[in-house]
């Protein structure tokens, strides 16, 4: 997304890196960040029943957005991010996602909840199960 005086203008980014997938009753949502770290991270919203892309939603800043999950009890999409060198978890109501227009320049979507996690510096996965959010970091080990 490119910032303009009236908001953000959609464009086709060649370096968006898909990260997480969440399924809701009506949508399949994919998170992605700009691999070149120039443009905002996004959520790509697809109609689950017919498989059609509906819109991209602009997020604040350039978080990695590695983990996303749907909380059916509260109708929230939870997303992993990072702020002030701490792992961040933020939530967006599905009604806010539904109301986000797809056909005009937009500003980043408003989060309903946001919190910094004190025990970890980075979060790359989140899952909702049995009334609780499970947040963690995926470690990769390489042999040379």
């Amino acid at each position: 997304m490119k910032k303009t005086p009236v908001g953000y203008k959609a464009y086709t980014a060649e370096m968006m890196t898909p990260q997480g997938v969440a399924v809701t009753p009506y949508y399949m949502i994919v998170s992605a960040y700009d691999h070149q770290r120039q443009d905002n991270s996004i959520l790509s919203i697809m109609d689950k029943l017919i498989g059609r892309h509906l819109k991209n939603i602009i997020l604040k800043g350039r978080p990695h957005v590695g983990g996303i999950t749907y909380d059916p009890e509260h109708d929230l999409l939870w997303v992993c991010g990072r702020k002030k060198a701490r792992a961040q978890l933020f939530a967006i109501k599905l009604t806010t996602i539904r109301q986000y227009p797809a056909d005009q320049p937009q500003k980043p979507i408003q989060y309903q909840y946001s919190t910094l996690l004190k025990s970890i510096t980075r979060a790359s996965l989140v899952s909702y199960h049995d009334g609780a959010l499970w947040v963690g970091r995926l470690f990769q080990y390489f042999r040379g």
Side-chain angles (χ1 to χ4, degrees), residues 19-23 31 64-71 76-81 87-91 115 117 120 122-129 132-138:
Q19 289 298 299
V21 176
V23 179
S31 62
H64 185 262
V65 294
I68 62 175
T69 192
Y70 176 62
D71 168 356
L76 292 169
L77 180 73
W78 289 94
V79 182
C80 289
Q88 178 188 32
L89 197 58
F90 57 88
T115 187
L117 305 177
I120 56 176
R122 295 184 185 270
S124 58
L125 55 99
V126 61
S127 184
Y128 180 87
H129 177 70
L133 288 169
W134 297 82
V135 183
R137 179 176 179 193
L138 180 65

Side-chain angles (χ1 to χ4, degrees), residues 94-127:
L94 252 56
T95 54
T96 304
I97 289 172
R98 262 186 232 102
Q99 293 168 356
Y100 189 90
D103 57 353
Q104 59 191 17
Q106 292 296 309
K107 294 180 181 177
I109 196 165
Q110 291 296 311
Y111 306 149
Q112 278 66 50
Y113 305 102
S114 177
T115 187
L116 296 177
L117 305 177
K118 295 177 182 176
S119 59
I120 56 176
T121 59
R122 295 184 185 270
S124 58
L125 55 99
V126 61
S127 184

